[in-house]
Amino acid sequence: MPDDVPSAIRVSAEVRTALDAGRPVLALESTILTHGLPSPRNLEVGLSSEALVREAGVTPATIGVVDGTPVVGLSPAEIERLCAASGDSGGDRTVVKASLRDLPIARAKHLDAGTTVAATAWLAHRAGIRVMSTGGLGGVHRGASETFDESADLGVLATTPITLVSAGVKSILDIGATLERLETLNIPVVGYRTSRYPAFYVADSGFALDYRIESPADAAALALARDELGLPQAVLVANPVDAEQQLDPAFHDRVLAEALAAASAQGVTGHDTTPFLLDYVQRATDGASLEVNLEVYRGNVALGAEIARAVAG
Ligand code: PSU
Ligand code: MN
């Protein structure tokens, strides 16, 4: 572990021991648990993802905020605590969604929080973790030329040298604009065994990628090249869902168009847009989108673990 880990960050003994021994560690975010999945699936996913990582011989480090303290390597009880307080599951505690800007507020107010890709990547890097998996990355929202709504994930990834496995960004975002912003921010994006940028629920967003890799060893070589150049950007590995497992693309396009029309008709704007659209898609697909969501995430966790092993050498 680096010797300049900020004093407010708690790194679990298990994660610290693994890092100090040079063993592979994979960071996992927690907003997917607190704000991305319904209860009780969120807890199942949180615990089974860690189990999947362990089976691959890698130490999982789920990251989140407990009572104001950012924790790298949440215990099962802490994961349960964050999952139980999420969404509308009742009780008098709430859990907030913390991007990097929210960490000081969560600390000062002793809040519980799920951490976004931005906050998770920053905390993981500060603790010395080199690989992370997520479901879908934040990106540029549709209409961003008016609203300026672009996820803070992008800015943090421009200055955080980690390798991040995702299945691209969800098609509710402006995917073309997101890829343009990634280019502007000097963030390399490579397809894992594909030359097409994936769109989370579907394997092909319609946008091409300039580069592809074929193996976890390729990803490790890329991270090493970045480090040898002294560059600060994350390396993004875009891992598509299997074509047989994806939402039928024509069905996906139809439901998305309906969802966007409903949001516009009902005057849904700003931060309410994403939850509205995702909920619409989930209901309109009769839960099929949730099953794809879980499949996509499992795939990213499994690949992240393999890359963590390759990076650890
Ligand atoms: N995209 C998804 N599901 C999610 C998220 C993104 O398909 O749960 C979460 C991730 O934690 C991501 C965050 O980092 O939302 C981005 O939120 P914002 O756009 O507010 O930065
Ligand atoms: Mn936003």
Side-chain angles (χ1 to χ4, degrees), residues 103-221:
L103 291 183
I105 296 166
R107 175 166 168 76
K109 291 181 172 291
H110 296 275
L111 303 176
D112 283 1
T115 47
T116 64
V117 167
T120 306
W122 185 81
L123 289 164
H125 173 64
R126 291 309 304 254
I129 299 174
R130 288 145 79 192
V131 185
M132 170 181 164
S133 288
T134 185
L137 195 62
V140 178
H141 287 260
R142 292 168 187 251
S145 62
E146 292 295 319
T147 62
F148 276 65
D149 192 352
E150 171 183 324
S151 175
D153 289 356
L154 302 188
V156 171
L157 294 172
T159 56
T160 305
I162 197 161
T163 297
L164 175 65
V165 180
S166 78
V169 298
K170 282 190 178 147
S171 42
I172 58 170
L173 300 179
D174 185 334
I175 297 180
T178 301
L179 287 168
E180 290 295 342
R181 287 292 293 148
L182 289 169
E183 180 179 343
T184 302
L185 293 166
N186 303 303
I187 300 171
V189 186
V190 296
Y192 190 75
R193 298 179 180 163
T194 180
S195 300
R196 312 293 299 174
Y197 193 62
F200 195 86
Y201 296 122
V202 293
D204 181 355
S205 66
F207 290 89
L209 288 170
D210 291 332
Y211 305 102
R212 60 186 278 166
I213 59 171
E214 306 300 332
S215 67
D218 286 349

Side-chain angles (χ1 to χ4, degrees), residues 227-243:
D227 294 344
E228 287 172 342
L229 287 160
L231 287 168
Q233 293 85 15
V235 166
L236 303 191
V237 176
N239 183 34
V241 66
D242 277 352

Side-chain angles (χ1 to χ4, degrees), residues 30 63-71 74 82 98 103 106 111-115 123:
S30 50
I63 296 179
V65 178
V66 177
D67 194 25
T69 299
V71 180
L74 292 165
L82 294 185
L103 291 183
L111 303 176
D112 283 1
T115 47
L123 289 164

